[in-house]
Amino acid sequence: DAGVIQSPRHEVTEMGQEVTLRCKPISGHDYLFWYRQTMMRGLELLIYFNNNVPIDDSGMPEDRFSAKMPNASFSTLKIQPSEPRDSAVYFCACGTGINDEQFFGPGTRLTVL
Amino acid sequence: GNSVTQMEGPVTLSEEAFLTINCTYTATGYPSLFWYVQYPGEGLQLLLKATKADDKGSNKGFEATYRKETTSFHLEKGSVQVSDSAVYFCALSDRNQGGKLIFGQGTELSVKP
């Protein structure tokens, strides 16, 4: 298995632009998580899905952020419009249980100018 | 609410030195406890875990014991190597609180030859 795949690995964009981050989880893992990592705030859970259904989105910072999981093998995190304070590394992770091991992707480093 | 507190880094050690990274937690229930490691430019990987009081998790020479009486899960290794240089995250998952992983702020370890 290739593990969790995220794309792009790096994204540089200008304030106000739409950004879409993509994730392909490990096959058979029913839980999918989106995290954001910054120096100031550490690692924050944004949202997680179970069987493609969003379960908890209380960590999504504001309406500019949205996430979807149209099928078991694909999820997106969209920021529209993007702002400089959204600059961070965004990780996708997956697992077979809510409090079992999570497998992380390599992350997408987002820079909003 | 639940929380995890780790000792602040960076921690700088010489090769073959003894390592301790302190972690304490606050939880309303009986959480599972984890240590994750993040190598430069990568996502987090599970290092070890413990699911109940007095359990000892171990992997790659690292150990941590779930101490309910002191609400601690300190990470130890008897002899560190340069390749252990990374950021280490303590985390908990409490089924009574939805089971989401709650991470500490991370502790950077740098091992010098």
Side-chain angles (χ1 to χ4, degrees):
Chain A
D1 199 320
V4 178
I5 299 173
Q6 290 188 247
S7 64
R9 292 294 310 275
H10 302 273
E11 176 82 24
V12 180
T13 190
E14 293 189 345
M15 183 173 63
Q17 297 297 306
E18 177 180 297
V19 174
T20 300
L21 312 181
R22 298 173 176 79
C23 175
K24 177 178 169 54
I26 296 170
S27 176
H29 286 207
D30 297 332
Y31 285 85
L32 185 138
F33 307 82
W34 281 101
Y35 292 90
R36 177 172 68 177
Q37 186 178 38
T38 61
M39 290 294 292
M40 290 296 294
R41 301 175 67 90
L43 200 61
E44 305 171 275
L45 176 65
L46 301 177
I47 184 172
Y48 79 89
F49 296 81
N50 181 25
N51 291 320
N52 314 335
V53 176
I55 303 300
D56 186 343
D57 65 354
S58 59
M60 296 285 263
E62 46 196 277
D63 291 346
R64 298 184 297 107
F65 286 69
S66 63
K68 294 182 180 180
M69 192 165 186
N71 57 63
S73 59
F74 184 65
S75 177
T76 59
L77 178 67
K78 185 178 293 186
I79 308 172
Q80 166 63 22
S82 58
E83 298 182 2
R85 60 194 168 116
D86 301 330
S87 298
V89 180
Y90 291 81
F91 289 103
C92 174
C94 63
T96 57
I98 182 59
N99 65 340
D100 291 336
E101 177 179 2
Q102 292 184 20
F103 296 81
F104 282 72
T108 296
R109 181 174 295 278
L110 173 66
T111 302
V112 183
L113 302 175
Chain B
N2 295 343
S3 65
V4 176
T5 302
Q6 294 179 230
M7 64 186 286
E8 287 194 21
V11 174
T12 302
L13 296 174
S14 298
E15 207 165 22
E16 300 183 3
F18 185 86
L19 168 71
T20 300
I21 300 178
N22 290 337
C23 171
T24 57
Y25 67 89
T26 302
T28 56
Y30 300 94
S32 296
L33 301 175
F34 305 81
W35 277 100
Y36 279 79
V37 59
Q38 183 179 28
Y39 298 103
E42 298 183 10
L44 281 70
Q45 306 172 24
L46 180 66
L47 181 59
L48 54 84
K49 70 177 183 180
T51 58
K52 61 183 187 297
D54 299 325
D55 269 1
K56 177 185 285 188
S58 61
N59 185 26
K60 300 180 181 179
F62 291 89
E63 293 183 340
T65 301
Y66 189 140
R67 301 285 188 200
K68 184 170 180 292
E69 64 276 14
T70 55
T71 61
S72 65
F73 193 55
H74 304 322
L75 182 68
E76 296 182 337
K77 186 175 185 182
S79 176
V80 294
Q81 305 300 311
V82 172
S83 58
D84 294 326
S85 298
V87 181
Y88 292 81
F89 291 88
C90 186
L92 71 80
S93 174
D94 186 348
R95 285 187 184 273
N96 294 334
Q97 299 294 322
K100 297 178 295 185
L101 274 179
I102 296 172
F103 288 91
Q105 71 270 36
T107 302
E108 181 181 357
L109 170 66
S110 176
V111 180
K112 305 299 185 186

